[in-house]
Amino acid sequence: MSRSVVALVAACTLALSGCNMLPQAPGPLPTDFVPSPSVSPGEGPGALSPDGFTAAQRMTVRVRNVGCGFISTGTGFALDAHTLVTNRHVIEDTKKIQVQTYDGRSINATTASTTTVADIAIITTEESLGGTFANVARQDPVETDVVTVVGYPKGGRLSTVSGVVLGESPDPLGSAIGTVLATTATVEPGSSGSPVLDEDGRVVGVVYAKNKSNQSFIVPVSTLKTLLDETSLLVPEAAQC
Amino acid sequence: MSDGEDGLHSDAASRDVETPPRSRNRSTKPRRRWPWIVVILILLGLLATSITMTYEASVRSNEWSAQVAEITDTSYTLGKQVADEKSENVRLNDNIDLLEEQLSNSKDTVLQLSDQKAQWRDDTEFAQQQVEATENLVTRAASAANGLQRCADGQQELAATLASDEEYTPEEITDYQDSVRELCDNAEKANSDLQEELAQ
């Protein structure tokens, strides 16, 4: 009989333990089901610029060389608020250098430096060039890389063309030390000094020449970085006339 | 064995005789009833627990039902908001398309005006160079004209000197003639250079 009682107690205990399976009471509901946005529309890589122009367009300037009895134009791009890069031949025999931004602002250059190492010149301005500057790549582009050139061909409107890197080439003008890069991007007189951008918008070179086959030649970014690091290679360009 | 059995029979017989069966049943009944009491108590406890748990389950069920109803209401509210936002999104996308077109046109206009300004500044700088060159030519022309005038004046003075009654030594006259010739040569050279430049 005692065994029956024990069994019954066990059965009751088991039955009561089932009561623990009762669901818990519901907790309070959240006050707001709408999550807060994690990214602002003004952030991120696809963010709009203040006026709809791309960073490449905003940093690219038109260079006017007022020389002794002549006027020539080229292109340059801002390294920072007061420094820009262009070609040496763009500012040769200059009396006065003026740059104009994409939105029409005219700025006078204060100094200019050139080098014999490459067809590169560094221009400084007293007035700020703006708020968008070049993001210089760490490495040179390689063959088949897609590149974009932003500039003022023939001194005209700001335009953008694309091309592919063909590979290393000897300097067609015979003036640069080392090799340069050839691309299929079509450039014109006036495009000299244009920034060459990779697909991430980083500057990988500077346009300085073209040939009859419409191939363009660029000074690779490694040469540009060497010049920027070794300022002793740059010589102030004296005003002519 | 048979003895035992016999003994048992004899004991049973003797109990039947000595003790009435009813009095024996009364002595064993309390010992056999307590399990049932325990069972009944347990069953009563179980019943009470079941009632309690049933009540508790009912309460929680009602709470869950209320929350489900609240969530359902919230879901409908959010669904309506989503629908409204979708409509607003479609409307805003249409506006964005229009604004992108306007922005594209504005950018085009900015670039066009910037280009026009650049060309105008080019023309201005070129015109300035032309003005400076013209001013230079005018200055040189005035200088050449002045030189020619001085040449003419010198020749007139030389002629007057030769015609005068004053006595000059031949050396003085020769020096004077040379200086006038040099003056005229320089004036003519300046004039011919100017004419050549003007011809270009």
Side-chain angles (χ1 to χ4, degrees):
Chain A
M1 188 63 191
S2 62
R3 287 184 181 175
S4 301
V5 172
V6 170
L8 182 61
V9 169
C12 292
T13 305
L14 188 63
L16 286 173
S17 68
C19 295
N20 291 331
M21 299 301 287
L22 271 179
Q24 297 294 319
L29 289 175
T31 56
D32 189 5
F33 289 90
V34 181
S36 56
S38 58
V39 177
S40 167
E43 299 171 352
L48 291 174
S49 63
D51 54 10
F53 287 94
T54 64
Q57 289 174 316
R58 293 161 66 83
M59 74 178 187
T60 305
V61 296
R62 182 182 190 268
V63 180
R64 179 188 298 114
N65 177 6
V66 181
C68 305
F70 71 91
I71 291 175
S72 64
T73 66
T75 304
F77 59 93
L79 283 179
D80 57 44
H82 300 279
T83 310
L84 62 92
V85 176
T86 186
N87 285 149
R88 182 184 62 221
H89 74 261
V90 169
I91 62 164
E92 269 180 345
D93 300 328
T94 185
K95 187 171 66 175
K96 182 171 62 176
I97 299 172
Q98 299 169 330
V99 298
Q100 183 169 312
T101 59
Y102 70 102
D103 54 357
R105 287 189 303 123
S106 290
I107 299 169
N108 288 324
T110 51
T111 62
S113 301
T114 58
T115 178
T116 56
V117 175
D119 194 351
I120 291 290
I122 306 295
I123 297 174
T124 59
T125 64
E126 191 168 339
E127 188 180 342
S128 173
L129 292 165
T132 305
F133 316 119
N135 179 15
V136 180
R138 293 183 177 179
Q139 293 180 332
D140 292 342
V142 296
E143 195 173 332
T144 71
D145 276 2
V146 176
V147 291
T148 303
V149 176
V150 184
Y152 294 87
K154 297 181 179 175
R157 291 181 52 163
L158 180 63
S159 65
T160 303
V161 294
S162 295
V164 175
V165 176
L166 298 173
E168 292 186 350
S169 165
D171 177 20
L173 304 179
S175 59
I177 297 174
T179 58
V180 297
L181 296 173
T183 82
T184 61
T186 304
V187 299
E188 300 290 346
S191 300
S192 294
S194 297
V196 182
L197 310 170
D198 63 10
E199 291 181 295
D200 295 325
R202 296 172 301 192
V203 174
V204 294
V206 183
V207 171
Y208 80 103
K210 64 175 288 188
N211 63 11
K212 292 179 180 176
S213 305
N214 270 337
Q215 293 175 344
S216 53
F217 296 89
I218 68 174
V219 178
V221 68
S222 57
T223 304
L224 175 63
K225 291 181 74 172
T226 301
L227 289 172
L228 295 175
D229 293 339
E230 296 290 337
T231 52
S232 59
L233 296 172
L234 295 167
V235 179
E237 179 82 357
Q240 304 295 318
C241 310
Chain B
M1 188 69 185
S2 61
D3 288 342
E5 288 177 354
D6 289 341
L8 286 174
H9 282 293
S10 64
D11 289 341
S14 62
R15 281 197 298 269
D16 288 341
V17 172
E18 293 172 357
T19 307
R22 286 182 64 188
S23 82
R24 190 180 64 185
N25 288 340
R26 280 190 189 127
S27 66
T28 57
K29 212 170 188 178
R31 292 197 305 268
R32 297 179 62 186
R33 195 180 294 165
W34 69 267
W36 293 108
I37 292 172
V38 170
V39 167
I40 288 169
L41 288 175
I42 290 173
L43 288 175
L44 286 174
L46 190 60
L47 180 62
T49 306
S50 298
I51 290 170
T52 304
M53 299 309 295
T54 303
Y55 173 75
E56 188 67 23
S58 173
V59 168
R60 294 187 184 179
S61 175
N62 289 338
E63 288 176 352
W64 279 108
S65 295
Q67 192 168 82
V68 166
E70 189 177 352
I71 291 175
T72 303
D73 289 345
T74 306
S75 299
Y76 277 114
T77 303
L78 291 175
K80 186 175 182 308
Q81 285 180 5
V82 169
D84 292 344
E85 294 293 339
K86 279 184 177 176
S87 301
E88 183 69 6
N89 200 24
V90 170
R91 190 182 67 78
L92 290 177
N93 275 332
D94 291 343
N95 284 348
I96 286 173
D97 290 342
L98 282 173
L99 289 173
E100 281 182 344
E101 191 176 343
Q102 290 177 4
L103 179 62
S104 176
N105 291 334
S106 298
K107 285 167 59 180
D108 198 54
T109 304
V110 167
L111 293 179
Q112 186 179 353
L113 290 174
S114 179
D115 179 44
Q116 286 178 0
K117 182 181 178 183
Q119 303 302 329
W120 174 77
R121 287 294 298 268
D122 288 350
D123 294 343
T124 302
E125 290 294 338
F126 182 73
Q128 182 65 31
Q129 286 190 342
Q130 295 296 309
V131 167
E132 290 175 1
T134 305
E135 285 177 350
N136 185 34
L137 283 176
V138 168
T139 303
R140 290 176 58 191
S143 176
N146 187 39
L148 289 173
Q149 182 63 43
R150 288 172 60 195
C151 168
D153 292 345
Q155 287 180 339
Q156 282 182 358
E157 286 179 12
L158 177 61
T161 300
L162 292 175
S164 70
D165 296 333
E166 297 179 18
E167 291 184 359
Y168 293 99
T169 64
E171 289 79 13
E172 286 176 334
I173 292 177
T174 303
D175 289 343
Y176 193 27
Q177 286 177 328
D178 290 343
S179 65
V180 171
R181 187 178 300 112
E182 185 181 1
L183 180 67
C184 290
D185 287 346
N186 289 337
E188 286 174 6
K189 184 174 185 308
N191 186 45
S192 63
D193 289 346
L194 177 65
Q195 296 302 324
E196 283 180 9
E197 192 160 334
L198 287 173
Q200 291 174 358

